Amino acid sequence: MTCNHPIDFCDLSYFIAAADQGSFRKAALFANVHESSVSRRIRDLEDRLGAALFHRQSGGVILTFAGRQFLPRARQIIKQVEYCATEVASIGKS
């Protein structure tokens, strides 16, 4: 199966961190990466989705309408992946 729009787990994590922190700089500090990495990954995510997720301002970032719609879904995806990993890990210990 070929996926034309792969979305990386880190892309979603950085997106959520930036939304929660209100800035790429604070998201980078939270994720312990360079701000340029967060900015680039979010820009790439926006390109893949075909929509801007943030309004960029000198004082930080604000979610666009598309970003507000995407945020709960991104959180849900992260939660499901974490749940699946926990479930598989517990099965492996049986």
Side-chain angles (χ1 to χ4, degrees):
M1 178 173 98
T2 302
C3 184
N4 295 330
H5 302 287
I7 295 176
D8 189 277
F9 192 79
C10 286
D11 296 345
L12 294 178
S13 296
Y14 292 166
F15 164 69
I16 292 168
D20 289 346
Q21 301 295 320
S23 88
F24 292 167
R25 183 183 59 78
K26 291 178 184 175
L29 289 171
F30 179 78
N32 199 29
V33 296
H34 292 284
E35 181 179 352
S36 60
S37 296
V38 171
S39 179
R40 184 178 58 253
R41 298 290 291 260
I42 290 175
R43 186 184 65 240
D44 291 346
L45 177 61
E46 290 173 322
D47 288 345
R48 284 186 205 105
L49 295 172
L53 299 172
F54 292 101
H55 294 291
R56 288 143 171 91
Q57 302 174 335
S58 60
V61 294
I62 299 171
L63 288 169
T64 63
F65 178 75
R68 290 191 306 272
Q69 297 301 306
F70 189 63
L71 182 59
R73 290 164 177 83
R75 288 188 197 282
Q76 193 173 43
I77 291 165
I78 296 288
K79 185 182 287 187
Q80 285 296 312
V81 169
E82 289 171 349
Y83 174 77
C84 290
T86 301
E87 185 177 41
V88 167
S90 68
I91 292 169
K93 294 176 183 174
S94 300

